[in-house]
Amino acid sequence: MYDQPRPNRATPAMTFDQMLERVRYEGAYPTRERAVEAVRTVLAALGRQLTGDERVDLAQALPVEAAFTLTAQIPDTRHLTGWGFVKDLAERAGATPAVARWDTSAVLAIVASLAGPDLLARILRRLPDGYAFLFGQAELRRPEPAAA
């Protein structure tokens, strides 16, 4: 079973068209179609990595079309680091890692603003290291357990 957006959800902060225009601006994409492609590939990849309440809550914060792209993915059993996420996205999209990194940043910057600081913090706690930078946040190191 995969998560679907919960019924009776609040109206997202922006429409899918507004989200696409923001991604197009952030990514400096020449066409709307290129922004659509970036949004769909990045959200599908994120949907394979994110699970639990954070996945459902993020879907609620996104426009419906974006939420369906995120939740239509079956979560992967491999938990990729941020760099692994970019490399996997590049492989699946047939792009270079640099293009995949660019697309990821353009899309996830908008996703971060839609999620808000509290949900974003929960998402980053659930994901392995390396994702904060992809969302446009500082990567804070987790404290290492003291040696016995």
Side-chain angles (χ1 to χ4, degrees), residues 36 53 60 64 85 91 112 128 141 146:
V36 169
D53 288 341
Q60 288 182 321
V64 174
F85 178 87
E91 247 178 55
R141 297 183 58 81

Side-chain angles (χ1 to χ4, degrees), residues 63-123:
V64 174
E65 299 89 336
F68 282 136
T69 300
L70 177 83
T71 59
Q73 306 304 309
I74 297 171
D76 199 339
T77 56
R78 297 179 303 146
H79 297 289
L80 302 172
T81 64
W83 176 236
F85 178 87
V86 170
K87 289 192 309 188
D88 183 63
L89 183 63
E91 247 178 55
R92 289 175 186 261
T96 66
V99 169
R101 171 69 178 86
W102 185 272
D103 290 349
T104 300
S105 292
V107 174
L108 293 185
I110 305 310
V111 169
S113 70
L114 288 170
D118 294 337
L119 177 55
L120 182 59
R122 289 178 33 223
I123 290 169

Side-chain angles (χ1 to χ4, degrees), residues 6-114:
R6 294 178 185 161
N8 301 324
R9 56 188 249 166
T11 304
M14 67 176 65
T15 66
F16 189 62
D17 287 335
Q18 291 169 327
M19 180 182 186
L20 290 176
E21 285 308 310
R22 296 248 336 253
V23 168
R24 185 175 176 194
Y25 178 80
E26 288 292 323
Y29 297 119
T31 64
R32 176 185 164 86
E33 291 72 26
R34 181 63 185 94
V36 169
E37 178 185 336
V39 166
R40 291 209 168 118
T41 58
V42 171
L43 287 179
L46 184 61
R48 288 189 292 275
Q49 293 298 307
L50 193 59
T51 59
D53 288 341
E54 290 77 16
R55 176 182 168 107
V56 175
D57 292 345
L58 179 58
Q60 288 182 321
L62 296 174
V64 174
E65 299 89 336
F68 282 136
T69 300
L70 177 83
T71 59
Q73 306 304 309
I74 297 171
D76 199 339
T77 56
R78 297 179 303 146
H79 297 289
L80 302 172
T81 64
W83 176 236
F85 178 87
V86 170
K87 289 192 309 188
D88 183 63
L89 183 63
E91 247 178 55
R92 289 175 186 261
T96 66
V99 169
R101 171 69 178 86
W102 185 272
D103 290 349
T104 300
S105 292
V107 174
L108 293 185
I110 305 310
V111 169
S113 70
L114 288 170

